[in-house]
Amino acid sequence: MSDKATIEVNGQKYDFPLVKGTENEVAIDIKSLRGATNGVVTIDPGYKNTGSCTSAITFLDGEKGILRYRGYSIEELAEKADFLEVAYLLIFGELPTQEQLDKFHADIKSHSVVDDDVRKIVDAFPKSAHPMGVLASLTSALTAFNPSSVNVNSEEEMYKAIVRIMGKFPVLVAWTLRKKHGLPLDYGDKNLGYVENCLKMMFKQPNEEYVLDPVVVDALDKLLILHADHEQNCSTSTVRIVGSSHAGLFASLSSGISALWGPLHGGANQAVLEMLEAIKEDGGDTKKYMAKAKDKDDPFRLMGFGHRVYKNFDPRARIIKKSADDVLGNLGIEDPILDIAKGLEKEALEDDYFVKRKLYPNVDFYSGIIYRAMGIPTDMFTVMFALGRLPGWIAQWREMRLNNEPIGRPRQIYIGETLRPFKAINKR
Ligand code: ACO
């Protein structure tokens, strides 16, 4: 394969180098395009063909349905690792030794207390506030309580910022849920594992012991691993681009949470459950909703179907589908919503419209069913996604800063009015 690409503009040829990844992905490096051509740029709304960076964190092949963190397959990690190990792997590049993992966990625990004044901010929100808005605000507010900016050239400072947010974020997640339920806020239990502590902080009632269910712990651990990173998706690109202005880690993460909120991204898990509920209320007629999804005059889309990158299957959806069966079976829950989901999936996979467009169930199609079985309210689903995505966002932010990436600032092609004289108000 040649190592350059030639672009011809107005009869003039320009050569550009090719960049090759370790998995043989190829990109045309157009860094010099605008300068060489006197102002020509590329345009690619939604960045469907644009690589914003090189990255050594996550590899995914949407055509083959492959997802790997730092070279390890998602299937193997979901089966053999726990969430904190995966977080360490994503952020620092290698699986931790037992000693490294114990230290990481101990450091996270020692930074897991949130300034008590943050409660006042939590108190100021109405109970009806969407948990994602609350979480984004609280994450941003952490900046006020931890004002010193991180010197990214100091490994020690970077590490401290990382364990600080890994420690405090689950507290914010739990407080978001507890506020919604009118429960007192607390700081969890240092003796528990990371995921166990998250569950206890969320669900402990003030007047009774909280008993951990290993089935729920295992299911949540898996869900968090599956959501932990997904290369340059909307929220991760947001974290990187905000961080590229040298905004701090907490502020960058807060922007990522806002990006994740949308129903075309992380908000899809809430949207899927609401859609399945609506189908159930409407008599369970999946065919009617399939027809709506295919009708171009109807804005309805089959939520949890389709993906910008996966045009085969989403490997995470396979793992989650099995996990949904296991969790519901183990907890003895019969959920008619799961049957509707399976019915929709079967119909869509056999339907020409979906087959032609390569629309397969994505990670969010089944995750909501598991969250629901765990007792997590529907509008908290995307918050759980954020809890899982946290290490991915941190890893991507760290990589971007260590690579000294320039500030993210796309160009545009202006299509508005050309210069025109100002019209006095009485002449308009
Ligand atoms: N239901 C019905 N039709 C769909 C769906 C769907 N869920 N998804 C895509 N299509 C159709 C489009 O209408 C379009 O049809 P056309 O070619 O006839 O115009 C074609 O499939 C391609 O769709 P695009 O929107 O161009 O694909 P894109 O890559 O831009 O969008 C997206 C991907 C946003 C995920 C889309 O599939 C979607 O809206 N899905 C539902 C929301 C969802 O589940 N989001 C979660 C994604 S996973 C995540 O973020 C964690």
Side-chain angles (χ1 to χ4, degrees):
M1 187 182 198
S2 142
D3 58 359
K4 64 173 192 201
T6 306
I7 298 177
E8 191 173 322
V9 185
N10 289 333
Q12 171 105 32
K13 287 186 176 162
Y14 304 91
D15 287 339
F16 298 95
L18 295 181
V19 175
K20 271 192 207 155
T22 48
E23 292 284 351
N24 298 320
E25 294 169 300
V26 179
I28 305 169
D29 177 352
I30 51 133
K31 278 202 288 290
S32 61
L33 174 70
R34 190 167 175 275
T37 55
N38 256 328
V40 175
V41 297
T42 55
I43 192 156
D44 184 19
Y47 311 118
K48 291 191 179 192
N49 301 279
T50 298
S52 58
C53 58
T54 53
S55 177
I57 301 170
T58 288
F59 170 68
L60 79 83
D61 182 329
E63 273 71 34
K64 295 193 184 127
I66 292 173
L67 173 61
R68 294 183 201 138
Y69 299 159
R70 302 280 189 187
Y72 296 100
S73 81
I74 192 66
E75 289 82 3
E76 215 180 353
L77 289 171
E79 194 192 321
K80 298 178 183 164
D82 71 28
F83 177 61
L84 219 48
E85 268 180 292
V86 170
Y88 188 100
L89 169 72
L90 282 167
I91 298 169
F92 301 111
E94 294 296 340
L95 284 167
T97 60
Q98 190 62 56
E99 200 183 324
Q100 286 168 327
L101 185 61
D102 291 346
K103 178 174 174 355
F104 188 46
H105 194 191
D107 291 337
I108 287 172
K109 286 196 271 194
S110 74
H111 287 92
S112 59
V113 174
V114 172
D115 192 302
D116 214 49
D117 277 349
V118 176
R119 282 171 193 268
K120 294 181 193 152
I121 306 176
V122 178
D123 277 345
F125 282 104
K127 266 192 196 151
S128 58
H130 194 286
M132 282 300 274
V134 177
L135 185 66
S137 308
L138 295 180
T139 307
S140 183
L142 282 185
T143 314
F145 295 91
N146 302 270
S148 59
S149 63
V150 181
N151 171 7
V152 297
N153 298 315
S154 154
E155 236 176 79
E156 199 190 326
E157 279 193 33
M158 185 78 107
Y159 180 80
K160 254 200 198 139
I162 291 166
V163 291
R164 206 172 264 150
I165 190 65
M166 285 291 294
K168 296 184 197 313
F169 199 70
V171 179
L172 302 185
V173 165
W175 283 8
T176 303
L177 178 69
R178 296 183 78 82
K179 163 78 191 181
K180 200 176 148 55
H181 288 170
L183 291 167
L185 312 179
D186 71 22
Y187 294 92
D189 184 342
K190 261 188 158 186
N191 298 315
L192 291 176
Y194 192 80
V195 172
E196 285 89 337
N197 190 33
C198 291
L199 282 165
K200 184 173 174 188
M201 278 195 291
M202 287 195 288
F203 293 119
K204 185 179 178 326
Q205 296 295 314
N207 54 354
E208 61 186 53
E209 273 290 289
Y210 178 73
V211 183
L212 284 157
D213 184 331
V215 173
V216 172
V217 174
D218 186 59
L220 181 56
D221 200 79
K222 229 182 222 116
L223 278 167
L224 298 180
I225 290 173
L226 295 178
H227 284 92
D229 196 47
H230 212 233
E231 53 117 299
Q232 307 312 317
N233 56 82
C234 178
S235 56
T236 301
S237 301
T238 303
V239 169
R240 282 184 89 124
I241 207 164
V242 172
S244 77
S245 74
H246 294 192
L249 176 59
F250 301 162
S252 306
L253 292 171
S254 169
S255 322
I257 295 165
S258 299
L260 187 71
W261 191 355
L264 297 190
H265 189 17
N269 52 16
Q270 174 176 343
V272 169
L273 228 282
E274 286 166 355
M275 175 189 78
L276 294 173
E277 286 280 10
I279 298 176
K280 189 181 117 204
E281 293 302 308
D282 198 19
D285 184 357
T286 48
K287 290 205 165 49
K288 176 174 162 190
Y289 285 84
M290 286 289 290
K292 271 166 77 64
K294 294 190 282 182
D295 180 355
K296 289 292 167 200
D297 296 325
D298 189 326
F300 176 79
R301 277 190 168 196
L302 206 53
M303 298 312 288
F305 262 78
H307 197 275
R308 168 58 61 80
V309 184
Y310 291 122
K311 301 298 176 194
N312 186 320
F313 63 88
D314 180 340
R316 303 166 301 173
R318 276 204 178 152
I319 302 170
I320 279 193
K321 182 179 174 183
K322 184 173 175 312
S323 190
D325 277 331
D326 292 350
V327 172
L328 268 63
N330 280 322
L331 296 179
I333 296 173
E334 274 184 31
D335 192 342
I337 290 282
L338 182 61
D339 297 330
I340 293 177
K342 283 184 176 166
L344 267 182
E345 180 184 0
K346 186 169 178 306
E347 278 173 43
L349 292 179
E350 289 166 358
D351 191 290
D352 239 23
Y353 173 98
F354 287 85
V355 172
K356 245 201 218 139
R357 289 170 180 76
K358 301 184 174 162
L359 301 170
Y360 293 85
N362 59 50
V363 66
D364 289 321
F365 193 64
Y366 283 104
S367 63
I369 292 167
I370 307 180
Y371 288 138
R372 189 163 116 122
M374 288 176 184
I376 295 171
T378 311
D379 61 2
M380 278 291 293
F381 290 178
T382 317
V383 166
M384 301 312 291
F385 189 155
L387 182 63
R389 185 53 56 89
L390 179 69
W393 286 333
I394 296 171
Q396 301 271 353
W397 179 89
R398 178 176 178 268
E399 180 181 73
M400 180 272 305
R401 289 303 310 269
L402 292 181
N403 285 352
N404 238 328
E405 281 176 22
I407 184 166
R409 202 299 186 188
R411 291 271 173 180
Q412 63 165 18
I413 294 295
Y414 176 71
I415 55 163
E417 298 286 348
T418 52
L419 182 65
R420 47 182 175 163
F422 180 79
K423 246 189 211 167
I425 198 156
N426 59 350
K427 302 238 167 85
R428 287 173 211 164

